[in-house]
Amino acid sequence: MSISKSPQSSDKAAEPPFNSRHERLEIADTSQHAPKRVRLNLKFRMRPGDDDEPQDWWFASTAIPLIAATSGPLANVMSIAALITPWRAKYEAGFVGLDTHAIGYSDPRWCIALNVASLVCGFTGNIFLLFNFTMRIRYIVALPMTIILWYFATGIVS
């Protein structure tokens, strides 16, 4: 069998009308042993540079989710690292800058609380993303919540 495209047919009464975006494929049986060939001629149309369609939503629909997708998981990792390891240290007088001779001490409670809040926001954003992928929550609800929570997590940890 081979498939070939025919934009118009000679029998117009029996054929449904097709516009320029939809094209009809005809299937013709040439031989039982012949390999199947598919030949499609798809047209890709770019937007013209002088069109009047709005482009205001590009930043909201592309840039903001990309920035959140980059910084949100990084904020989660930083929160986990900040909760596991004390980041403050006291260096001995003769060994300033050498971490092997530094004595670490715990972070204040307010700093730990901020790291926990950042981790909770990031984890909740990941849960919304998971629910979006498993179709438990609608896309229109889950995606903005994921983006907002990831921004909160990034803002808290930074």
Side-chain angles (χ1 to χ4, degrees):
M1 283 183 113
S2 69
I3 298 175
S4 63
K5 181 184 84 168
S6 70
Q8 296 177 351
S9 177
S10 60
D11 187 18
K12 299 228 181 224
E15 300 281 328
F18 293 98
N19 61 16
S20 63
R21 289 186 178 186
H22 297 32
E23 298 174 353
R24 189 172 64 88
L25 297 176
E26 288 183 0
I27 300 175
D29 188 13
T30 57
S31 172
Q32 290 181 345
H33 302 291
K36 294 180 181 181
R37 290 181 284 151
V38 176
R39 188 177 56 191
L40 295 174
N41 220 359
L42 300 176
K43 296 179 183 177
F44 181 73
R45 295 189 180 119
M46 299 282 291
R47 282 177 59 172
D50 60 343
D51 68 346
D52 293 333
E53 294 183 26
Q55 296 180 1
D56 298 337
W57 283 97
W58 178 88
F59 188 76
S61 66
T62 304
I64 291 175
L66 283 176
I67 293 169
T70 303
S71 64
L74 183 61
N76 292 345
V77 171
M78 294 298 286
S79 294
I80 292 170
L83 288 171
I84 293 173
T85 307
W87 286 35
R88 300 183 330 158
K90 186 174 190 175
Y91 291 100
E92 294 179 14
F95 301 102
V96 176
L98 296 175
D99 289 339
T100 56
H101 296 284
I103 300 168
Y105 56 97
S106 64
D107 295 326
R109 291 191 183 273
W110 62 267
C111 185
I112 293 172
L114 285 177
N115 286 325
V116 168
S118 173
L119 187 62
V120 167
C121 285
F123 184 74
T124 308
N126 288 338
I127 292 296
F128 272 102
L129 186 66
L130 177 69
F131 286 163
N132 180 23
F133 288 154
T134 58
M135 296 180 192
R136 303 276 184 206
I137 297 178
R138 291 179 25 194
Y139 173 82
I140 197 73
V141 174
L143 189 64
M145 287 303 297
T146 300
I147 292 170
I148 289 168
L149 288 168
W150 279 353
Y151 271 114
F152 282 161
T154 304
I156 291 170
V157 85
S158 57

